Amino acid sequence: MTTTTTHPALAPARLGVHDLRNRLAVAPMTRTSATPEGVPTPEMADYYGEFAEGGFGLIVTEGTYPDTEYSQGYLNQPGLATDAHVAGWRAVTERVHAAGAVLIAQLMHAGALSQGNAHRTGTVGPSAVQPRGEMMPEYGGSGPWPVPAELTAADLERIVEGFAAAAVRARDAGFDGVEIHAANGYLLDQFLTEYTNRRTDAYGGSPANRVRLAAEVTGAVRAAVGSEFVVGVRLSQTKVNDFEYRWPGGRREAETIYTALADARADYLHIASEGRAFLETALLDGGCTTTGLARSTTGLPVIANGGMHDPDQAEQVLADGHADLLAVGRGALANPDLPRRLADGTPLEPFDRALLSPRVTLENARRRRAAR
């Protein structure tokens, strides 16, 4: 094991026009702690500020809904759809920047996996296919997912416009960039997935067609915000409601997806792992990893996710060229100062599942820490 003072995750990096003080990022994690209207709270500023003060170079926010139609996925999820949302986020960006970190807003349209929307009733998706599994109680849901309404061509135009408008609001709120959420079973990933996308138009069928909407969103966001505002895309094979799914076309399908998003002028790709043992679960046919293939196919910086709080795994992922940056989720919740601990050799605190149970809110986590 490499000594902590020389760990490669502590080396500086660059993302778009931004210099990062290290290669450690906070992964996006839904916390459902905004106001009922989706406005970020002072408690959220404290939450994100603590990661910046703890030494993380990059922070990606929780999924943030971009419009007041069908994008919201959870009650008390933050938005970037109104002026009030912008004002609320501005306090967060100022707090994070004061502590020296770069902050990216993740833009998320829940699609068929919405289980709480203050603006609309019903859900939408690429096809009228009921999602697998059941809603997640820790996020306030219960029972089977409803069957979504199939999106029309006009609906898709509005969705693309909504992402672009939200990216402009993110820039106005002081963010350094946005990450387009095309992973984990949400709308853009529903288009990427064979069994949820049964369309016969230009957005269904082949992998090149199924990635079309994600590429159009990426291109529209880039056109709206210009070249210096960071635009990334998060991808995964698995979903919050289906841990077993893999791209049926394997390596070739992955290359098609990665290339389309790079051609749409994404600045980076963030590939979520299928589990915490990254090197065992991210393998594609031919022995390459999802992240390593993204790097070699596009030449873009790639963020890896999945158990990256483990120093040995983190070192191997960077040293073997699987990724450029490492996103840490639950390890960061337990250790908001993880980069400082890695630097001085302080042992990490184990993750306490009670921080996310029975609800994933900041209030629940605060009560748990007080009880301890």
Side-chain angles (χ1 to χ4, degrees), residues 62-96:
E62 61 207 281
T64 303
Y65 64 87
D67 62 54
T68 56
E69 294 190 20
Y70 293 95
S71 63
Q72 186 176 1
Y74 307 104
L75 297 179
N76 296 102
Q77 179 186 10
L80 266 167
T82 70
D83 291 343
H85 294 158
V86 171
W89 277 117
R90 196 169 285 129
V92 179
T93 62
E94 290 173 356
R95 176 74 176 272
V96 168

Side-chain angles (χ1 to χ4, degrees), residues 241-256:
N241 63 323
D242 182 357
F243 296 138
E244 304 302 321
Y245 185 79
R246 299 293 188 273
W247 291 323
R251 176 175 181 145
R252 182 170 296 181
E253 185 165 341
E255 289 173 337
T256 298

Side-chain angles (χ1 to χ4, degrees), residues 253-320:
E253 185 165 341
E255 289 173 337
T256 298
I257 294 168
Y258 298 155
T259 300
L261 298 171
D263 289 347
R265 299 178 61 201
D267 287 308
Y268 73 88
L269 298 177
H270 182 178
I271 315 296
S273 174
E274 282 69 60
R276 295 179 190 160
F278 168 84
L279 293 174
E280 295 178 9
T281 60
L283 288 176
L284 292 168
D285 45 303
C288 63
T289 58
T290 53
T291 54
L293 182 63
R295 290 184 83 217
S296 63
T297 299
T298 68
L300 295 174
V302 172
I303 304 176
N305 166 248
M308 297 304 164
H309 62 280
D310 178 83
D312 292 333
Q313 178 172 266
E315 179 178 7
Q316 185 177 4
V317 168
L318 291 173
D320 291 351

Side-chain angles (χ1 to χ4, degrees), residues 4 25 104 139 146-147 165 184 211 229 239 263 268 295 300 304 324 357 368:
T4 54
I104 302 291
Y139 295 102
V147 177
N184 304 119
V211 75
F229 195 68
K239 299 98 174 54
D263 289 347
Y268 73 88
R295 290 184 83 217
L300 295 174
D324 304 277
S357 178
R368 176 59 183 174

Side-chain angles (χ1 to χ4, degrees), residues 39-271:
V39 178
T41 64
E43 186 175 37
M44 290 172 61
D46 292 340
Y47 166 73
Y48 286 110
E50 188 176 18
F51 293 124
E53 292 154 7
F56 280 94
L58 175 67
I59 300 169
V60 184
T61 73
E62 61 207 281
T64 303
Y65 64 87
D67 62 54
T68 56
E69 294 190 20
Y70 293 95
S71 63
Q72 186 176 1
Y74 307 104
L75 297 179
N76 296 102
Q77 179 186 10
L80 266 167
T82 70
D83 291 343
H85 294 158
V86 171
W89 277 117
R90 196 169 285 129
V92 179
T93 62
E94 290 173 356
R95 176 74 176 272
V96 168
H97 288 154
V102 169
L103 186 62
I104 302 291
Q106 188 187 73
L107 301 180
M108 167 189 152
H109 192 304
L113 294 193
S114 175
Q115 57 182 50
N117 187 339
H119 307 285
R120 292 285 193 279
T121 58
T123 60
V124 296
S127 303
V129 176
Q130 184 176 33
R132 295 180 178 178
E134 295 191 341
M135 295 185 189
M136 297 170 284
E138 64 270 28
Y139 295 102
S142 63
W145 303 93
V147 177
E150 181 170 318
L151 290 159
T152 67
D155 294 332
L156 297 184
E157 290 180 8
R158 289 200 308 277
I159 287 169
V160 172
E161 292 167 357
F163 271 100
V168 172
R169 292 188 196 97
R171 186 182 61 189
D172 293 344
F175 283 99
D176 301 298
V178 293
E179 179 175 283
I180 297 161
H181 199 350
N184 304 119
Y186 298 110
L187 181 70
L188 299 182
D189 185 46
Q190 290 159 28
F191 273 83
L192 287 171
T193 302
E194 274 193 331
Y195 68 79
T196 54
N197 183 351
R198 298 179 182 173
R199 301 175 75 97
T200 57
D201 61 5
Y203 296 92
S206 69
N209 281 357
R210 286 185 273 116
V211 75
R212 189 182 305 277
L213 182 60
E216 288 181 356
V217 167
T218 304
V221 167
R222 169 60 70 208
V225 297
S227 61
E228 294 194 353
F229 195 68
V230 173
V231 177
V233 183
R234 179 174 167 99
L235 297 160
S236 71
Q237 297 189 88
T238 60
K239 299 98 174 54
V240 293
N241 63 323
D242 182 357
F243 296 138
E244 304 302 321
Y245 185 79
R246 299 293 188 273
W247 291 323
R251 176 175 181 145
R252 182 170 296 181
E253 185 165 341
E255 289 173 337
T256 298
I257 294 168
Y258 298 155
T259 300
L261 298 171
D263 289 347
R265 299 178 61 201
D267 287 308
Y268 73 88
L269 298 177
H270 182 178
I271 315 296

